[in-house]
Every structure is written in structure tokens, then in C-alpha cells.
Amino acid sequence: WMAEQGLFPHASWVPAYQDKAALEWLFSHKTTDRYEMHFVQPGFWWVDDATGSSLYIIEGADRALVVDTGMADNDFIGMVKSLTRLPFDLAVTHCHGDHMYHLDKFDRYYMSEKDLPLLDAPFMKGMLGDRTFNAKLMPVKDGDIIDLGGGYEVEVFTLGGHTPGSVVYLDRKRKIALTGDALGVWMQVPMAT
């Protein structure tokens, strides 16, 4: 067919782009609602979203902790429930939209009070839009322990820099530290210290 049309023999894109049904199918798909879920070890998942953000799910015997939320615009809670059957809370490493975009879906969350002024910063409004947050802040500071039950605890370490209240969450039992963006990246952002 292509030779008859005087086209280069490998120009397969020509008939493909002329097929309206194929084009509609192709452009009906989007990557902004996908998650890549990585089982790291029992009770611990690392999840990447379509925006390039990472989040984590840590299980104890009684509760789970979601660390950060990413920014993919999708069924975030459904994804979390597909990985854990435990009740869960949110722990935010720092107050930036790519770490707390889905805060509006939680009743309570852990975060340093030092980051509260960032919630009203213009760049945050740009990242989060007109979302309203009614979740109860459970303030964390250096040395705090979040008990997930069954000997599973997450310890909090302050590591300001990226934001005034950046924290690291440490699961000693699994030997995993979750740092958000606190270690040496993006120190030029507003309110970085």
C-alpha cells in the first residue's frame, strides 16, 4: 500500500495516523493515574507515582503509616487499601505539595509544626490548588515515636534544610530511613534553611 502511495516502505506511521479509532484509543490513555508498587520486604512498600514522586507504606501489627503522598491525580486511598488492610495515618516528611497532595483524604497526619507557615505560601497554593485540609495535625519533633503495634515503631528525626521542619522517619526494625527531600536536594526553594 505504501509503495503504491509513493511512500517510504517503512512509513508505517502514515496509515496509523490516518486510523481515527487507533488515535482515539492511543490518546484516551494517560500516565497521570498510575502507580508502580514495589514490595521491599514484609510490611514495607515503596510506591512511585506518575509524577516521579515516591511514597512509602509501613505496616505494624495494629496500624500502617503512609509516608508522603506524591501528586498523581487518582484514587490514592484505593491504592493504599490495595496494599494494606490496616487502618492508616499519614506522615509527611515536609510541607510541599508533592509530599502532601492527598492530605485532604486523611483525618489526621504527622508533620513538624515548623512547616505550618508553608501551608499558606503562594507556591503551595500553586501546587495544591484550592484543596482544603481538615486533617488534625499530630505534631512531631526529634525523638518522637509513632507506635504501629507489635514492636514496630517509627522514630522521628528533625533534619531541617529543605524546609524548616523537614523530618526523617526511621523504621529501626526494618533498617529503613525515609528522608523525603531532606538530604542535599532542592535547597534553593522558598523557606529552605
Side-chain angles (χ1 to χ4, degrees), residues 90-186:
L90 174 63
V92 177
T93 57
H94 64 283
C95 185
H96 281 162
D98 54 333
H99 296 264
M100 58 189 301
Y101 187 77
H102 295 285
L103 177 60
D104 58 332
K105 296 173 178 70
F106 288 85
D107 294 325
R108 65 184 195 168
Y109 69 107
Y110 297 94
M111 186 179 81
S112 170
E113 287 181 305
K114 292 179 183 178
D115 272 2
L116 285 177
L118 288 169
L119 279 174
D120 293 322
F123 75 92
M124 281 292 285
K125 298 293 184 191
M127 293 178 94
L128 300 174
D130 58 358
R131 282 181 157 73
T132 56
F133 304 117
N134 297 315
K136 178 182 179 189
L137 172 65
M138 309 295 289
V140 293
K141 61 187 179 322
D142 202 51
D144 283 353
I145 301 290
I146 302 169
D147 187 358
L148 302 178
Y152 289 95
E153 297 178 334
V154 175
E155 189 171 353
V156 179
F157 291 90
T158 57
L159 191 59
H162 184 58
T163 65
S166 292
V167 298
V168 172
Y169 294 104
L170 177 65
D171 179 343
R172 285 189 190 273
K173 197 167 195 171
R174 292 186 180 98
K175 300 179 181 176
I176 295 173
L178 304 171
T179 64
D181 295 333
L183 295 177
V185 297
W186 293 94

Side-chain angles (χ1 to χ4, degrees), residues 36-68:
E36 289 181 21
M37 296 171 264
H38 310 278
F39 174 80
V40 177
Q41 59 179 284
F44 186 86
W45 290 266
W46 161 33
V47 180
D48 282 328
D49 75 10
T51 70
S53 298
S54 295
L55 56 121
Y56 309 90
I57 299 171
I58 304 170
E59 284 187 322
D62 304 324
R63 296 195 68 76
L65 192 64
V66 177
V67 178
D68 294 337

